[in-house]
Amino acid sequence: MAELESVLEQRLIDQLCSGDSQWTYRPDIRNEEDLWQNFKYILEQNNKAKLNDIPLSDTEFAKIKNDVSHSSFYDAGKWLVGENGRVYVHVQRGNETLHLVVMNNEHIAGGTSTYEVINQFQAFKTEDDDRDRRFDVSLLINGIPLIHIELKNKDHAYHDGFHQVKKYIDEGKFHGIFSNIQMFVVSNAIDTKYFAAGRSSELKTDFMTGWVDNDNQPVGDYLEFAKVVLKIPEAHEMVARYTVLDNDAKKLLILRPYQIHAIEAMRNASKRGESGFIWHTTGSGKTMTSYKATRNLLMDIPSIDMTVFLIDRKDLDQQTSTAFKSYANNDTIDVDNTEYADALIKKLSDGNRRMIVTTIQKMQIMINKKLKEGTPIYDKIRNLRVAFVVDECHRAVTPLTKRIIERFFSKSLWYGFTGTPIFPQNSYEQKGDLPQTTEEMYGKVLHKYTIKNAIHDNAVLGFMIENLGTKGLTSDEEAAIEGTEGHMRNVLNVVLNQSYAKLGLGLGRGKTFEGILTVSSIAIAQKYYEFIKKVKNGEDKLKIDEDVLKALPDFPKFAITYSISENEESSKVNQDKMKESLKDYNEMFGTNFGVENIQAYNTNLNKRLGRKESTYNDRSQQLDLVIVVDRLLTGFDAPCLSTIFIDRQPIPQNLIQAFSRTNRLYNEHKKYGQVVTFQAPNEFKVAIDEALKLYSNGEVGNAVAENWDDVKLSFEVALKAIRDLANDPKGVISLSRSQKKMFVHLFRDLDRSYAHLKAFSTFEKEMLEQYPFSEDEYVDWAAVYKNVVQELKDDPGPEEPGEPVRDDYELIAFNKIRVDYEYIVELIRGFVDSLDESDSEDSYEKKLEEIQKIISEYAEDNPKLAELLEKILTDITENKDKYKGQDVTSIINDMRYAAIDNEIMKFAKKWFIPQDIVKYEAYHFRYGALANETKLKESADYSAYSTETIEPLPKFRFRKAMIEDFKEGLMTEIGPLLKG
């Protein structure tokens, strides 16, 4: 029998507080008032001198309580960054402003830091809202809850803890002093995950991460996790040093374990005065790791005068600079993107310890042209002890450039980040005595996280690769057909008509994925662009499939990007073609780009493809496909990009870089990074196998996740297994309980293999006839599956051998096109976020009209909730200032729950039943049945009802009528609201 959760709680607390731990258990803190008083006491103790030993008055503390309560976890994170590591609150006392230190993040594991553990905290009890509102375990630093832990026993999945957290967020439970939570931990004792605090709609199960040790071995047990991650100083460092504020996305991010190990490895190497490189596979978050590493080196190593993050000029103008500015917005980081090297000289010579982000080009100009040997400023800068950090270290810095900079800064340390190290097998061309490999250039590898590690840990996705080129052609024959109308038509048929699953077209507007089509030349890219226009306009014999147009009537929305130069012979043609493409882009998105500001277009295109701003959650602002030659194939990060279509010869040295544009984590529907090639299939297979072996440290493992033959076989096995158990969906009803459990696991196997089968370009519905099987049959199996899962969940029954059935699996082969509640809420949130922007009246009306149209469609499925959404949208348009800067997600959910509670209250009053009992039954009502009908009947006070009600029912009819009213009246009214 699984242990009680209360036992797990106590064991966790004992572990946290055992030995030489700095955690103190505070069983006396059980409610909000206790928590505030504890915080007040610690604040006063840490600021005795400033307060002159006079306690804070009620008025002063009321002001502080208001300042410490935040509207979002992100806002709390901004406050907790502090000023030079110190977090303050400010109060006015007489004519003096007192700056009181709440927390000093330089005092980790010492100084003024106080560490406390609380449990069973009563989450803001109200008269009728005290059910299931007790938090499990929370960790306080200086009286402020910063880490919250939800525990489940082994009968449950840790996902249940995750959903519990989301529920609490939706209900607004993390407000007041609890709005400062930065990190959540969920566990079922044997598997433990952590994730950054955020809006409920932002939290995805795929973004939970488990801990691994320095050798990438998992640490799942909750007590072992507590020993490694939640002890001091580690827990304080997690929330103070290993969180990142993404200003663009307004999100809190928290580093994964391999990122933390890399930073610690760099810190230790710098203490020894050694350089080295970090091998973290492409897509695993190197830019964020390198940002934090550069930042923390300056904080942790007093002997370092300056940390400099070096990037290539092209990168500075694009994503890396944008990411760094976003991360550094609330930090003391100086992103140097000025036009002149003089600004760099000033920053390096002013005597301030700082982190600078600058370009290789500016550094070279400063060294070679600006600084004069023998001058004081030359000597001052040259003698700086500088730690250089280089992201994408081979693309950004050549061996010769590094040597020049290194000879000038003779006291420098160098740390390179790369996902594709250069080994002797793929080394640089020999040039004198210049280094040829990563190790020769930077030093030994300090931390390694290969593509195999990342796929195993779900830090990135595996690949699904299809080589569709014609076998047996010579390179001359390949070259002859490249760019021909027939070849391009075949390629586009795959891209446009056979990629429904790849691009997630069945997920609904605003939720689909994107693809990149890469070709060998600008001329061919232009030909493809014009060809797609013809197809979309109905001017070619290739027609877009009707199913595709049902899902997305405006498909495909596409763009093109390539370098244009005034010095190239073909420049005039390229510029003229680009003008036409920009005209299409401007018409599609209401922009105004021209060739004279092509850089601004590329930046806008990158942001649109990245979809990291809420504006781009709207289908009207999205693209489906971008055509490129070399742009975006390295260093570009767009998690919603699922597929790369390659119509060119293999480029071995950049193969993994190009593939890795597709395998970023995005959501539960994106399962693989998908790659489709259209030329040289044998050469591609050899190149892919060699590249994956090289960058998996010699072990390919399951890095290439699927191929057609294996998936087809898996599908056949899964279909046979489920039919052996039940010949058809109706047969499941008569299965025993243990057989139904088996059915759940078998159907999930079928769902996975069928979804993967459909994701291949070679899949055609007619192929299913040989089994025989169809999409309709799958839908019938899926409907029965959902009923069985709910049945087993509602009635767990006696403990049985084998894996328990957990409701933590989402069907991935299900194709129903739907607009859902969360999507509309996200659109409204994006609309509110844009109220501060200077949109034109036309743009504003267009956004409003689009949301109204989608709500109208949603009303066909859920008129009740659609009515509420329409109501709040109307209120937003009539009272814009009221909503600016507000978290509209919480406001909408508050309105939804208020409407639910109002109906519950009316029912409770009508039938004289305690409101909390009605509420419990309403929230646990499933398939027409109450959780505890007897209790609801017995809770009704017939005596009070008959006294207070005009024309009361006789007692013998009372209970039956009350149950009917609950099912047909109350649940009809609030059921649609609960579905949101």
Side-chain angles (χ1 to χ4, degrees):
M1 183 175 176
E3 290 177 301
L4 295 173
E5 288 171 13
S6 58
V7 174
L8 298 179
E9 261 184 49
Q10 193 56 54
R11 286 189 176 172
L12 176 62
I13 293 166
D14 291 344
Q15 175 60 53
L16 288 169
C17 301
S18 64
D20 58 356
S21 166
Q22 291 181 256
W23 289 111
T24 301
Y25 179 41
R26 293 293 306 274
D28 55 311
I29 299 176
R30 293 293 173 147
N31 58 45
E32 188 174 9
E33 183 57 30
D34 295 341
L35 198 55
W36 280 120
Q37 287 306 310
N38 181 61
F39 167 67
K40 180 174 183 284
Y41 173 78
I42 294 170
L43 184 66
E44 288 173 341
Q45 292 301 303
N46 284 341
N47 293 274
K48 275 189 170 185
K50 290 181 182 178
L51 290 168
N52 199 24
D53 271 342
I54 300 171
L56 291 161
S57 68
D58 290 346
T59 303
E60 289 170 338
F61 192 58
K63 193 264 182 190
I64 289 171
K65 286 171 70 174
N66 186 64
D67 291 346
V68 173
S69 303
H70 305 282
S71 62
S72 69
F73 299 121
Y74 172 78
D75 286 341
K78 286 199 297 184
W79 175 64
L80 289 164
V81 167
E83 302 165 33
N84 296 317
R86 290 179 176 83
V87 183
Y88 291 98
V89 288
H90 313 280
V91 293
Q92 192 72 28
R93 182 172 279 184
N95 295 324
E96 184 183 4
T97 301
L98 302 181
H99 307 289
L100 307 181
V101 178
V102 174
M103 196 180 307
N104 188 340
N105 289 322
E106 299 298 313
H107 290 180
I108 292 180
T112 57
S113 295
T114 301
Y115 303 103
E116 297 165 311
V117 183
I118 64 172
N119 73 317
Q120 288 301 301
F121 178 85
Q122 183 63 56
F124 318 116
K125 180 178 178 180
T126 61
E127 189 175 311
D128 59 353
D129 187 20
D130 64 348
R131 187 176 294 272
D132 299 326
R133 300 299 191 273
R134 290 184 184 273
F135 292 166
D136 287 353
V137 179
S138 301
L139 306 184
L140 319 181
I141 300 180
N142 285 13
I144 297 178
L146 293 179
I147 299 174
H148 180 67
I149 305 160
E150 282 292 324
L151 296 170
K152 298 295 174 186
N153 66 25
K154 294 176 186 178
D155 283 342
H156 297 267
Y158 63 81
H159 293 78
D160 290 351
F162 174 77
H163 294 302
Q164 186 76 51
V165 167
K166 288 192 67 166
K167 178 184 175 184
Y168 286 159
I169 293 170
D170 279 335
E171 293 175 350
K173 291 293 173 280
F174 294 106
H175 70 257
I177 197 167
F178 257 98
S179 66
N180 291 283
I181 292 289
Q182 299 289 282
M183 171 178 160
F184 289 109
V185 178
V186 294
S187 180
N188 67 342
I190 56 173
D191 209 347
T192 306
K193 306 292 181 185
Y194 70 92
F195 53 97
R199 292 185 178 102
S200 173
S201 59
E202 294 167 348
L203 300 183
K204 310 292 183 189
T205 55
D206 289 347
F207 292 101
M208 289 190 284
T209 186
W211 190 259
V212 297
D213 64 20
N214 207 38
D215 297 319
N216 295 316
Q217 296 304 305
V219 179
D221 180 85
Y222 77 122
L223 298 180
E224 290 300 315
F225 182 91
K227 286 180 191 176
V228 177
V229 183
L230 298 180
K231 67 178 182 179
I232 299 300
E234 283 77 4
H236 195 157
E237 288 181 330
M238 287 295 286
V239 294
R241 294 190 174 181
Y242 299 134
T243 53
V244 177
L245 292 164
D246 187 336
N247 185 59
D248 285 347
K250 298 291 186 288
K251 285 170 66 172
L252 184 68
L253 309 172
I254 194 162
L255 300 190
R256 288 174 175 258
Y258 60 87
Q259 296 173 302
I260 293 169
H261 294 321
I263 292 169
E264 290 172 347
M266 276 179 60
R267 180 195 298 166
N268 293 333
S270 64
K271 287 178 180 177
R272 300 189 301 268
E274 296 175 1
S275 298
F277 74 97
I278 305 294
W279 173 7
H280 280 191
T281 191
T282 305
S284 61
K286 288 193 307 302
T287 300
M288 190 195 300
T289 312
S290 56
Y291 163 77
K292 266 298 181 184
T294 314
R295 171 77 171 88
N296 287 1
L297 276 180
L298 196 64
M299 291 171 62
D300 296 339
I301 313 297
S303 61
I304 292 176
D305 298 319
M306 198 83 62
T307 54
V308 177
F309 189 84
L310 277 180
I311 48 181
D312 183 75
R313 177 170 48 220
K314 294 193 293 278
D315 291 329
L316 183 62
D317 291 337
Q318 296 297 321
Q319 269 198 321
T320 305
S321 174
T322 302
F324 260 73
K325 286 179 181 177
S326 182
Y327 301 155
N329 187 69
N330 301 292
D331 212 335
T332 55
I333 307 306
D334 192 352
V335 181
D336 169 34
N337 60 350
T338 54
E339 292 295 319
Y340 304 105
D342 291 338
L344 178 59
I345 292 171
K346 185 177 179 182
K347 286 164 186 167
L348 287 170
S349 62
D350 67 6
N352 293 318
R353 292 183 79 239
R354 56 154 63 97
M355 170 183 162
I356 295 175
V357 183
T358 193
T359 63
I360 298 295
Q361 291 83 358
K362 239 173 281 184
M363 188 65 69
Q364 288 176 298
I365 291 168
M366 180 190 79
I367 292 170
N368 296 330
K369 297 182 180 179
K370 292 288 184 178
L371 293 177
K372 303 300 179 187
E373 190 171 356
T375 62
I377 199 166
Y378 177 95
D379 294 336
K380 183 173 185 177
I381 292 177
R382 186 168 190 184
N383 285 317
L384 285 173
R385 289 163 299 186
V386 180
F388 287 98
V389 180
V390 190
D391 193 14
E392 300 292 353
C393 59
H394 298 296
R395 192 182 66 201
V397 184
T398 66
L400 179 59
T401 302
K402 179 178 179 288
R403 177 171 289 181
I404 292 168
I405 298 173
E406 200 168 13
R407 282 176 174 170
F408 179 82
F409 289 99
S410 57
K411 298 178 182 177
S412 61
L413 296 170
W414 287 76
Y415 301 103
F417 279 77
T418 180
T420 48
I422 294 176
F423 299 106
Q425 302 98 301
N426 62 335
S427 60
Y428 284 119
E429 182 184 346
Q430 180 71 57
K431 291 183 180 178
D433 65 345
L434 288 172
Q436 291 180 271
T437 67
T438 309
E439 185 168 329
E440 289 173 2
M441 193 166 167
Y442 287 93
K444 291 184 177 179
V445 61
L446 299 176
H447 191 260
K448 188 189 302 178
Y449 193 70
T450 69
I451 192 167
K452 182 185 175 188
N453 298 138
I455 291 171
H456 176 269
D457 294 344
N458 297 318
V460 298
L461 302 171
F463 295 113
M464 182 184 285
I465 298 174
E466 296 179 83
N467 297 314
L468 301 183
T470 306
K471 293 181 180 178
L473 295 182
T474 65
S475 55
D476 288 342
E477 289 170 330
E478 292 273 15
I481 64 168
E482 186 177 22
T484 63
E485 189 173 275
H487 175 72
M488 289 196 300
R489 186 176 287 114
N490 290 337
V491 169
L492 289 181
N493 185 49
V494 172
V495 174
L496 302 179
N497 290 331
Q498 295 175 18
S499 299
Y500 189 96
K502 280 182 169 58
L503 299 176
L505 301 187
L507 298 175
R509 287 184 297 179
K511 292 190 172 184
T512 56
F513 307 137
E514 301 164 341
I516 284 180
L517 170 61
T518 176
V519 296
S520 61
S521 69
I522 292 174
I524 291 177
Q526 291 163 343
K527 288 178 75 172
Y528 264 114
Y529 184 87
E530 289 162 3
F531 204 139
I532 296 175
K533 280 182 75 171
K534 285 173 62 180
V535 172
K536 187 169 182 178
N537 293 335
E539 298 166 4
D540 187 80
K541 64 182 181 182
L542 175 63
K543 305 299 179 187
I544 298 175
D545 189 271
E546 193 60 36
D547 283 346
V548 172
L549 294 177
K550 277 181 187 174
L552 288 179
D554 57 355
F555 182 84
K557 295 174 71 178
F558 59 100
I560 188 171
T561 179
Y562 50 81
S563 300
I564 56 175
S565 168
E566 294 178 7
N567 300 321
E568 292 176 2
E569 196 173 308
S570 57
S571 174
K572 179 68 169 67
V573 174
N574 290 344
Q575 290 199 30
D576 288 344
K577 296 276 189 185
M578 182 54 79
K579 282 179 185 177
E580 285 299 311
S581 304
L582 290 174
K583 182 169 176 283
D584 294 339
Y585 188 89
N586 291 334
E587 287 176 1
M588 194 170 6
F589 299 118
T591 49
N592 190 29
F593 298 112
V595 290
E596 67 282 354
N597 60 348
I598 193 70
Q599 202 62 48
Y601 162 71
N602 286 332
T603 299
N604 183 266
L605 178 67
N606 286 7
K607 286 185 175 183
R608 193 175 303 282
L609 291 167
R611 294 191 198 168
K612 293 178 182 178
E613 299 173 19
S614 58
T615 302
Y616 303 116
N617 290 334
D618 191 326
R619 169 66 188 169
S620 67
Q621 297 300 314
Q622 293 175 351
L623 284 165
D624 301 307
L625 183 71
V626 61
I627 306 166
V628 306
V629 180
D630 295 319
R631 278 203 78 243
L632 308 181
L633 297 187
T634 57
F636 177 65
D637 179 32
C640 54
L641 197 153
S642 68
T643 310
I644 183 167
F645 302 97
I646 305 176
D647 187 22
R648 61 194 297 177
Q649 294 289 305
I651 340 161
Q653 67 272 24
N654 289 327
L655 212 53
I656 297 301
Q657 284 275 5
F659 285 13
S660 296
R661 298 316 100 209
T662 68
N663 73 332
R664 265 64 165 174
L665 298 180
Y666 184 52
N667 61 21
E668 64 274 17
H669 299 290
K670 184 182 173 187
K671 298 296 180 183
Y672 298 100
Q674 311 216 46
V675 180
V676 186
T677 72
F678 296 98
Q679 295 186 34
N682 294 331
E683 290 87 339
F684 258 111
K685 187 177 187 314
V686 170
I688 289 166
D689 289 346
E690 288 179 353
L692 285 167
K693 185 174 182 181
L694 186 64
Y695 293 121
S696 296
N697 204 27
E699 300 177 20
V700 175
N702 293 319
V704 179
E706 307 285 3
N707 64 65
W708 171 260
D709 291 333
D710 289 344
V711 171
K712 187 165 174 282
L713 179 61
S714 295
F715 169 74
E716 290 167 353
V717 169
L719 184 60
K720 183 178 185 304
I722 206 166
R723 283 177 171 169
D724 285 346
L725 183 67
N727 194 47
D728 56 40
K730 292 177 184 176
V732 176
I733 298 170
S734 59
L735 294 178
S736 69
R737 181 181 178 81
S738 61
Q739 288 175 320
K740 285 180 178 177
K741 285 178 66 177
M742 189 186 303
F743 164 73
V744 168
H745 296 300
L746 290 175
F747 180 75
R748 289 174 180 177
D749 290 341
L750 178 64
D751 179 62
R752 276 188 289 264
S753 58
Y754 183 43
H756 299 170
L757 195 73
K758 291 197 292 183
F760 280 91
S761 306
T762 46
F763 171 79
E764 293 178 357
K765 292 177 184 176
E766 291 71 27
M767 292 177 175
L768 299 173
E769 292 173 4
Q770 62 182 295
Y771 297 110
F773 187 73
S774 68
E775 181 71 18
D776 288 341
E777 184 181 343
Y778 166 80
V779 170
D780 290 342
W781 283 112
V784 172
Y785 162 83
K786 291 175 184 177
N787 289 338
V788 169
V789 168
Q790 192 61 52
E791 177 186 327
L792 295 173
K793 185 179 175 185
D794 287 344
D795 181 17
E799 189 169 336
E800 298 169 333
E803 181 73 14
V805 171
R806 292 171 176 145
D807 189 14
D808 58 0
Y809 181 84
E810 178 147 356
L811 298 181
I812 54 176
F814 206 65
N815 260 345
K816 184 184 176 186
I817 300 169
R818 62 190 184 277
V819 177
D820 67 18
Y821 169 76
E822 278 193 6
Y823 172 57
I824 299 173
V825 170
E826 281 298 297
L827 288 183
I828 295 174
R829 185 169 72 81
F831 181 65
V832 169
D833 288 348
S834 72
L835 293 177
D836 284 324
E837 298 170 7
S838 54
D839 281 354
S840 66
E841 188 65 28
D842 283 350
S843 175
Y844 171 83
E845 291 296 335
K846 191 175 179 182
K847 287 179 183 176
L848 179 61
E849 187 179 324
E850 178 70 14
I851 297 172
Q852 287 171 330
K853 181 181 177 184
I854 291 169
I855 292 175
S856 176
E857 291 175 10
Y858 182 65
E860 295 175 13
D861 294 325
N862 195 329
K864 197 82 181 172
L865 201 45
E867 183 183 348
L868 186 145
L869 291 166
E870 185 61 52
K871 182 179 177 183
I872 196 166
L873 186 62
T874 301
D875 195 43
I876 290 168
T877 59
E878 292 174 356
N879 302 282
K880 294 177 188 174
D881 291 338
K882 171 181 166 185
Y883 289 91
K884 286 181 180 177
Q886 297 298 309
D887 183 356
V888 76
T889 308
S890 292
I891 294 171
I892 292 172
N893 278 322
D894 286 348
M895 283 183 66
R896 185 158 66 95
Y897 287 116
I900 292 168
D901 289 346
N902 184 55
E903 295 300 325
I904 287 172
M905 181 189 68
K906 287 194 290 186
F907 180 89
K909 284 184 176 180
K910 176 180 177 181
W911 296 102
F912 291 82
I913 306 171
Q915 194 168 329
D916 63 328
I917 292 175
V918 178
K919 190 169 189 175
Y920 179 83
E921 291 298 334
Y923 277 86
H924 291 82
F925 187 74
R926 295 286 186 278
Y927 298 101
L930 286 89
N932 193 334
E933 184 173 322
T934 302
K935 184 174 181 179
L936 187 68
K937 288 176 178 177
E938 291 174 351
S939 300
D941 186 344
Y942 180 76
S943 176
Y945 164 82
S946 60
T947 303
E948 299 292 331
T949 306
I950 300 170
E951 298 183 8
L953 294 169
K955 192 169 184 177
F956 72 91
R957 288 180 52 198
F958 173 74
R959 287 185 172 182
K960 183 180 179 183
M962 182 266 291
I963 295 297
E964 286 178 357
D965 189 31
F966 181 93
K967 293 179 177 179
E968 297 171 13
L970 177 63
M971 294 314 300
T972 300
E973 196 68 28
I974 69 172
L977 297 174
L978 287 167
K979 287 179 183 176

